[in-house]
Amino acid sequence: MKSRDTLKINDKGHLEIGGCDAVELAREYGTPLYVMDEAYIRKVCRAFRTVIAGYPDARICFASKAFSCKAIYRIVEEEGLGADVVSGCELYTALEGGMSADRIYFHGNNKSRRELEEAVAAGVHAVVLDSFYEIGLLNEIAAAAGKKQRVLVRVNPGIDAHTHHFIQTTRVDSKFGFSVADGTAAEVIRTVSGLSGLDFAGLHCHIGSQIFELKPFELAVEKMTDFIARLAAEGITVRELNLGGGYGVTYTDEDKPLEPQRYVEAIVARLKECVRGKSIAAPTLVLEPGRSIVGEAGVTLYTVGAVKDIKNVKKYISVDGGMFDNPRYALYQAKYEAVAASRMNDKPVCTVTVAGKCCESGDMLVVDAKLPEMNSGDILAVLTTGAYNYSMASHYNRNAVPPVVLVNGGRSAYMVRPESYEKICELDDCPPWLRRA
């Protein structure tokens, strides 16, 4: 386990998160339970802000897709961050959480008319254009509202970031962005620059997720500034350069990410060099970390139920959660570390597979986990579940999405309250011909 001041073993031999005993949290709030470490979230936000201050004009925006609820926007807004959103409800949640609209970027490769109308009405800082379809649509909406909407154009610089192909976003064959290489990106920017309802402000790219090396980010800076220089030669000014996020975090001991701020340091240094070397105006730098802010801040607690030992084959430890609270193993065999939260000082003596309770053979949470002998009723913790777990959770098998509890300095309280059977069924209805008298 990658321990820190707010993630450690306490004197009871239990896992402690944000000064709170994990076993006591499980007892008070039930399991499965997402737990988020507020102090760690704020620490990472501040590290990013400190590093980016070394660039003349820069901002950090939290990538909402990693984890979206009102309280997280309140936290990152207090730490001086903006946000990027990818749906109408993410925008609504950010605004409800206190995020200023002028600090929000609206992303997405297929935004609906309603979402674009909501973005314009709210006054978001920028809409990031990612399809031909939305260019004319947004221009029409902005003109009808009597506004000139600031936009960035998402481009694909063609960088292979060596991650799982589902989370690579700038391969030539990608649903995201306009290609720089084939001239499409430049064509789109010329079109956008000539529309009365749109204000072309700059470029956006995102090269992928869970990247451990600095080189892909440095290469992105080089390619994007080359493109900026080409546009400048045509008289087109790029005022903002948004380089997305994608900084890696630790899921298991196999992962060797750098400290989050190291990625930003490398980007800032290379951008300064490129601006000088290519004699271009320094654009405002925007970065959008998500996983690196909340990923390691999250821990999911489960209660062990059935233990199934198939002699000479495999031992399964079943818990009261599963792919409905964490689908990432089922989606792309994501790896996690599990620990015995209620018996942290016991030595691991067996290799087990942690299985979920869903009616799917692929419903696994951790494969080949090294754990003490686990018994029914023990509390199990899966680490680094703060990003994409709650966001991707579902009601599969009509299971409730677990609540989220925020911990800090020994205090705990809900960020997201628990669901009841009634709440899950609240939107169900029966057509008139099925209703009983």
Side-chain angles (χ1 to χ4, degrees):
M1 183 180 78
K2 184 181 174 183
S3 61
R4 56 180 184 262
D5 288 346
T6 54
L7 184 67
K8 58 188 180 181
I9 302 171
N10 67 16
D11 55 10
K12 295 180 181 178
H14 296 168
L15 180 66
E16 182 179 293
I17 314 160
C20 294
D21 187 307
V23 176
E24 294 299 322
L25 289 171
R27 183 176 295 120
E28 180 177 356
Y29 296 100
T31 58
L33 179 70
Y34 300 119
V35 182
M36 299 295 287
D37 178 354
E38 181 182 357
Y40 184 75
I41 293 170
R42 291 185 182 275
K43 177 182 177 181
V44 177
C45 289
R46 289 168 188 171
F48 280 138
R49 289 276 294 165
T50 298
V51 173
I52 209 167
Y55 186 77
D57 185 15
R59 61 178 68 103
I60 299 286
C61 292
F62 172 66
S64 296
K65 64 180 181 175
F67 176 56
S68 180
C69 69
K70 293 178 185 178
I72 193 64
Y73 294 111
R74 187 68 53 85
I75 292 169
V76 298
E77 188 271 339
E78 288 179 355
E79 294 300 329
L81 276 61
D84 84 53
V85 300
V86 194
S87 72
C89 195
E90 279 189 353
L91 173 60
Y92 176 83
T93 308
L95 295 172
E96 287 289 298
M99 181 66 64
S100 299
D102 62 4
R103 298 168 75 174
I104 296 175
Y105 290 73
F106 200 116
H107 291 260
N109 67 299
N110 190 33
K111 308 174 194 70
S112 68
R113 172 181 284 272
R114 175 181 171 179
E115 288 172 328
L116 290 172
E117 288 174 343
E118 290 168 345
V120 171
V124 299
H125 176 80
V127 173
V128 181
L129 298 173
D130 201 359
S131 68
F132 284 105
Y133 160 77
E134 66 187 2
I135 294 172
L137 182 57
L138 181 59
N139 183 58
E140 173 195 327
I141 291 168
K147 295 183 176 181
K148 195 174 182 71
Q149 177 60 55
R150 184 184 296 108
V151 297
L152 304 185
V153 172
R154 180 163 180 171
V155 304
N156 183 344
I159 296 169
D160 182 353
H162 303 294
T163 57
H164 191 286
H165 65 280
F166 283 177
I167 53 177
Q168 290 175 341
T169 56
T170 58
R171 294 173 301 141
V172 174
D173 178 13
S174 174
K175 75 174 189 177
F176 298 108
F178 299 100
S179 173
V180 172
D182 68 5
T184 304
E187 177 189 345
V188 166
I189 290 165
R190 293 185 199 107
T191 299
V192 169
S193 298
L195 295 175
S196 60
L198 304 182
D199 171 23
F200 172 70
L203 305 175
H204 175 278
C205 80
H206 177 70
I207 62 174
S209 297
Q210 191 59 356
I211 302 168
F212 294 156
E213 301 171 340
L214 298 179
K215 186 63 178 176
F217 297 107
E218 294 171 333
L219 184 57
V221 172
E222 292 170 8
K223 289 199 170 191
M224 294 299 284
T225 51
D226 282 345
F227 188 44
I228 290 172
R230 285 167 47 196
L231 292 173
E234 294 186 32
I236 299 173
T237 300
V238 172
R239 308 195 306 269
E240 295 188 22
L241 175 59
N242 188 323
L243 292 171
Y247 320 129
V249 300
T250 299
Y251 284 100
T252 72
D253 289 340
E254 297 173 3
D255 297 327
K256 304 297 180 186
L258 303 171
E259 288 299 310
Q261 61 268 29
R262 284 286 311 283
Y263 299 100
V264 180
E265 288 172 348
I267 289 168
V268 167
R270 187 54 56 90
L271 183 55
K272 286 180 176 179
E273 292 173 3
C274 289
V275 165
R276 286 194 302 268
K278 298 170 189 179
S279 300
I280 57 178
T284 296
L285 173 62
V286 185
L287 300 176
E288 296 174 332
R291 186 198 315 258
S292 53
I293 290 177
V294 295
E296 293 185 39
V299 176
T300 307
L301 302 179
Y302 302 97
T303 301
V304 175
V307 177
K308 181 178 182 179
D309 195 348
I310 306 173
K311 191 174 181 181
N312 300 322
V313 178
K314 186 177 287 187
K315 187 171 186 175
Y316 288 97
I317 303 294
S318 294
V319 296
D320 52 355
M323 62 190 295
F324 65 90
D325 66 77
N326 184 358
R328 295 185 68 251
Y329 178 82
L331 283 173
Y332 31 73
Q333 292 74 59
K335 294 182 179 180
Y336 288 92
E337 180 182 1
V339 297
S342 49
R343 303 201 338 257
M344 292 294 292
N345 290 326
D346 289 7
K347 293 182 178 180
V349 294
C350 52
T351 299
V352 304
T353 290
V354 179
K357 61 179 287 188
C358 294
C359 192
E360 293 283 346
S361 296
D363 178 26
M364 304 298 163
L365 293 172
V366 187
V367 174
D368 294 335
K370 308 293 191 235
L371 291 169
E373 197 69 46
M374 300 296 287
N375 303 307
S376 300
D378 283 341
I379 303 301
L380 186 82
V382 177
L383 308 177
T384 314
T385 54
Y388 302 107
N389 294 59
Y390 174 76
S391 294
M392 300 172 87
S394 74
H395 289 133
Y396 187 57
N397 288 161
R398 281 292 198 177
N399 284 295
V401 174
V404 187
V405 165
L406 185 68
V407 293
N408 193 352
R411 299 173 298 173
S412 65
Y414 285 121
M415 297 178 85
V416 180
R417 292 189 297 273
E419 297 179 337
S420 63
Y421 292 165
E422 293 79 10
K423 183 68 176 177
I424 294 171
C425 293
E426 189 173 62
L427 299 180
D428 290 3
D429 205 348
C430 284
W433 59 89
L434 296 180
R435 294 174 188 166
R436 296 174 180 171

